[in-house]
Amino acid sequence: MAEPEIERQTSSSNNVDARDEDRLAQFGYKQELKRDWGLAHNFGVSFSIISVITGLTTLFGYGLNTGGPAVMSVGWIVVSFFTLTVAVAMGEIVSAIPTSGGPYFWAAMMAPPRWSAFAAWITGWFNLLGQVAVTTGISFGLANLIATAATVKSPDYVPTPAKTIGIYAAVLVSHGLVNTFGVRVLKYLNNVSIVLHSAGVTALAIAVLAKAPKHQPASFVFGYLNDGTGLDGSPGWGERASPAYLAVCGSLLAQYTLTGFDASAHLSEETRKASWSAPIGVVSSVGFSAIFGLLVLLAFLFSIQDFEATLSSAYGQPVLQILIDVFGEDGALVLFSLIMVCVWHCGLFSLTSNSRMMFAFARDAGIPSFFHHVDARFRSPVRTIWLAATLSFILALPSLGSSVAFAAATSIATIGLYISYGIPILLGLVWHREFAAMKGPFNLGPTLSRAVAFVAVAWILAITVFFVLPTANPVSSQTLNYTVVAVGIIAVGATAAWLAWARTWFTGPAAEVTEAMRLGVDLLEPRVEENESEKGDKAGDVGGD
């Protein structure tokens, strides 16, 4: 009796796979990557890359200095709201266009024909920059955490920039090896990561709150403003400019943490029922991360025992200092190890997402076609995996001579990714009628869709300005926020390359595909004139008989 049921399940599964492959074929592509991820796996990748414990731990010191508890707590709530509008607007787009290319492919589909290739080119390069910088921020942050943890039991160990870069290289190699040879276990590591980032992080937050000898009052957590941006006796930016300047710079902690959810789109070609699973993965990963993140952030802030001692911790890591004050060195190292395992998983899946974006961009000739290659044995884009790892390593090299390199890398990641998110959202807002013809099952309706898109674009424009501002005073070669340099190089370089030579050969996704999508035409359906011709042929055959 079980056999017919098995057959029905197998048939249903095959039908789902066929529909996904047909949808991909409508975009002009064949199925190359292995499609065996479900909704939970798709959600898990973005949830793991957002990894609230990663962003909060690595930028907690920055937050305490740049605004303090008030900006960190209130800023988290504000940023979460606006980020959710970006995620919802993106969800509509990925539901309509579920491909690994993500933002650059969306831009090509949604721009007018004349500007389609240019929109894809610019968006692709900003997305590539953001993807590389996110991997840098995560994995370099982990290297710093490892180096800091080593000083707890070995006070003589000095985590110099060179040593930290060496640890960082080892972390990137571990991520590259798992992505190359362990692609079949990524799903299972993803499941582990979901448990760690939900149950594990929740347990950590509750344990910190329960064990803390004393708790800070709510007036401290939500009302205390700290300005530690002045160096060597200089006034901070709150005094030199205004508290509002301090607050917008301090919001980087929340905005950087809630970044990377386009991973659900980049993995859509490996996800079953992608038109529904991918947008749900995008939106739910931001929603759950906002909730879990606020829980963890408040747990840490309420459990600070001595603000000044935490800020000027001998370990150079405020979260580690909070854990030591609450649990002692041994207990703190156990819990800090849990955090580092979470960060390692976050970096692993960031490289996964990064490599898929580069693979898709190479498929459309945005980068050399050499990188459009899937290993026959492992069904993974090995060349782009190691390209992503190499570029991420290079981006961290300024840390050897800059004290604000890590904060700059996180700013680059945030601006690069959000600009690439914003371009297709803006195109869909301006050319909404054409976008409406493409929409998939995740659809807000015309009025709500445009309202959400408008808020999302406005927010992205605002943070693009916020995060290029200097965050330390006085500004020098050591404290320069080189985000504006990196973002400027991509903006000017990509535009100049387009005008000089790329416009002569880069077409982006096939022109006939973009036009068909814009008009809501299914390329897999026989054309009307072909059907009429076939009917005529059949009538002739009958008459001849």
Side-chain angles (χ1 to χ4, degrees):
M1 293 297 292
E3 291 181 2
E5 178 65 23
I6 293 172
E7 288 177 3
R8 284 195 294 270
Q9 291 175 357
T10 303
S11 176
S12 175
S13 176
N14 290 338
N15 288 338
V16 169
D17 291 342
R19 285 195 295 270
D20 283 324
E21 291 183 19
D22 285 346
R23 184 62 174 159
L24 187 59
Q26 290 175 342
F27 304 127
Y29 302 128
K30 66 178 182 178
Q31 185 73 44
E32 296 181 89
L33 300 168
K34 188 175 182 180
R35 192 185 290 271
D36 61 350
W37 293 58
L39 170 58
H41 299 112
N42 185 281
F43 156 79
V45 171
S46 283
F47 187 62
S48 296
I49 293 176
I50 292 175
S51 181
V52 293
I53 195 65
T54 296
L56 291 177
T57 303
T58 54
L59 280 180
F60 203 82
Y62 173 89
L64 291 179
N65 273 299
T66 316
V71 171
M72 295 168 76
S73 56
V74 177
W76 184 273
I77 296 169
V78 173
V79 169
S80 294
F81 170 78
F82 286 108
T83 303
L84 195 57
T85 66
V86 177
V88 171
M90 281 178 58
E92 275 203 307
I93 300 174
V94 70
S95 179
I97 313 170
T99 71
S100 291
Y104 90 83
F105 194 96
W106 305 338
M109 292 291 179
M110 300 171 73
R114 181 182 176 187
W115 299 105
S116 177
F118 178 66
W121 176 263
I122 290 294
T123 307
W125 278 102
F126 271 114
N127 194 240
L128 189 149
L129 171 69
Q131 289 270 339
V132 170
V134 160
T135 302
T136 300
I138 296 166
S139 298
F140 187 68
L142 175 58
N144 276 302
L145 297 182
I146 294 171
T148 300
T151 64
V152 175
K153 292 297 185 180
S154 303
D156 295 334
Y157 176 78
V158 179
T160 63
K163 292 176 182 176
T164 303
I165 280 287
I167 297 170
Y168 174 54
V171 169
L172 285 175
V173 169
S174 72
H175 291 157
L177 290 174
V178 173
N179 271 286
T180 298
F181 301 111
V183 68
R184 290 183 176 85
V185 302
L186 281 177
K187 282 197 306 180
Y188 305 105
L189 288 174
N190 188 23
N191 293 337
V192 172
S193 183
I194 293 173
V195 173
L196 287 172
H197 281 93
S198 54
V201 170
T202 300
L204 170 65
I206 293 172
V208 170
L209 280 173
K211 189 73 167 61
K214 68 175 184 177
H215 296 104
Q216 295 289 345
S219 58
F220 169 83
V221 172
F222 295 103
Y224 181 65
L225 192 70
N226 180 62
D227 185 0
T229 57
L231 303 178
D232 301 324
S234 299
W237 282 110
E239 179 182 343
R240 182 178 174 182
S242 71
Y245 182 101
L246 192 66
V248 297
C249 289
S251 65
L252 175 63
L253 177 144
Q255 194 65 78
Y256 166 69
T257 301
L258 297 173
T259 297
F261 45 90
D262 58 321
S264 289
H266 294 304
L267 286 161
S268 58
E269 290 183 30
E270 296 164 78
T271 302
R272 302 174 73 245
K273 298 182 181 179
S275 291
W276 180 251
S277 297
I280 294 300
V282 168
V283 176
S284 61
S285 63
V286 173
F288 281 107
S289 294
I291 295 169
F292 278 107
L294 184 61
L295 170 64
V296 175
L297 178 62
L298 294 180
F300 286 156
L301 290 176
F302 274 112
S303 300
I304 291 175
Q305 300 302 296
D306 184 321
F307 181 76
E308 291 301 328
T310 301
L311 193 61
S312 57
S313 169
Y315 304 108
Q317 221 310 319
V319 171
L320 178 59
Q321 185 64 57
I322 292 170
L323 295 178
I324 289 175
D325 290 343
V326 173
F327 298 101
E329 287 188 353
D330 293 337
L333 281 177
V334 171
L335 294 177
F336 205 63
S337 296
L338 170 65
I339 293 174
M340 289 189 287
V341 171
C342 288
V343 180
W344 184 88
H345 280 83
C346 176
L348 173 71
F349 289 108
S350 178
L351 193 67
T352 305
S353 173
N354 198 340
S355 65
R356 269 52 174 184
M357 181 273 160
M358 291 181 176
F359 164 79
F361 206 32
R363 181 171 60 188
D364 287 318
I367 59 177
S369 58
F370 170 80
F371 295 106
H372 174 215
H373 176 267
V374 175
D375 183 86
R377 180 180 177 187
F378 297 106
R379 296 291 296 277
S380 64
V382 174
R383 293 174 184 175
T384 53
I385 288 169
W386 292 102
L387 173 63
T390 301
L391 293 177
S392 297
F393 179 77
I394 292 171
L395 190 59
L397 291 179
S399 67
L400 292 171
S402 172
S403 60
V404 296
F406 179 74
T410 58
S411 294
I412 293 168
T414 305
I415 292 176
L417 283 181
Y418 275 92
I419 288 177
S420 73
Y421 300 166
I423 292 173
I425 295 174
L426 177 62
L427 292 171
L429 179 63
V430 175
W431 287 278
H432 190 75
R433 183 176 300 174
E434 291 81 358
F435 175 40
M438 309 178 191
K439 286 191 176 181
F442 188 87
N443 186 344
L444 300 179
T447 303
L448 185 57
S449 175
R450 297 183 78 173
V452 169
F454 178 82
V455 173
V457 170
W459 179 249
I460 291 170
L461 288 174
I463 63 174
T464 300
V465 176
F466 295 166
F467 300 144
V468 298
L469 299 173
T471 56
N473 183 51
V475 179
S476 66
S477 60
Q478 293 294 306
T479 61
L480 173 70
N481 182 352
Y482 67 89
T483 302
V484 67
V485 177
V487 173
I489 287 173
I490 288 294
V492 174
T495 303
W498 175 260
L499 294 173
W501 50 283
R503 62 190 175 91
T504 63
W505 53 266
F506 180 76
T507 60
E512 63 271 19
V513 174
T514 57
E515 185 62 17
M517 283 292 297
R518 203 172 286 114
L519 297 174
V521 176
D522 187 345
L523 290 177
L524 297 183
E525 291 292 329
R527 292 194 298 261
V528 173
E529 56 268 29
E530 289 179 347
N531 289 338
E532 294 297 331
S533 175
E534 289 177 5
K535 289 178 182 178
D537 290 343
K538 290 178 180 178
D541 291 341
V542 171
D545 292 340

